[in-house]
Amino acid sequence: MNIISKDMIISEILSVDRDIAQILMNAGMHCLGCPSSQMESLEDACLVHGINVLEVLNNINSYLESKK
């Protein structure tokens, strides 16, 4: 079961684990400090950056699963 979903907003995702920021930055989202980016869904942010949301989602949830 995925902990993070593509419709969650970036600030919600980062509140689950701040280290997810590095995964997002590695994927090409270098604007996490921008206030407006905090209110975008993961899906919207990936769309804006031309990034595959399912790949990012898988990386995030794999990371969280590995911490259990």
Side-chain angles (χ1 to χ4, degrees), residues 2-26:
N2 288 342
I3 297 168
I4 303 299
S5 65
K6 65 183 182 179
D7 61 317
M8 289 177 71
I9 61 171
I10 300 295
S11 60
E12 286 178 303
I13 294 169
L14 294 176
S15 73
V16 171
D17 188 315
R18 296 300 293 174
D19 290 335
I20 293 172
Q22 189 61 49
I23 295 170
L24 295 174
M25 290 183 67
N26 288 343

Side-chain angles (χ1 to χ4, degrees), residues 26-38:
N26 288 343
M29 291 184 201
H30 301 284
C31 58
L32 294 176
C34 175
S36 63
S37 73
Q38 297 295 304

Side-chain angles (χ1 to χ4, degrees), residues 1-3 61 65 68:
M1 180 175 121
N2 288 342
I3 297 168
N61 284 312
E65 187 64 33
K68 288 185 179 182

Side-chain angles (χ1 to χ4, degrees), residues 28-50:
M29 291 184 201
H30 301 284
C31 58
L32 294 176
C34 175
S36 63
S37 73
Q38 297 295 304
M39 298 307 295
E40 286 182 316
S41 70
L42 179 61
E43 184 172 37
D44 288 342
C46 285
L47 180 64
V48 166
H49 290 88

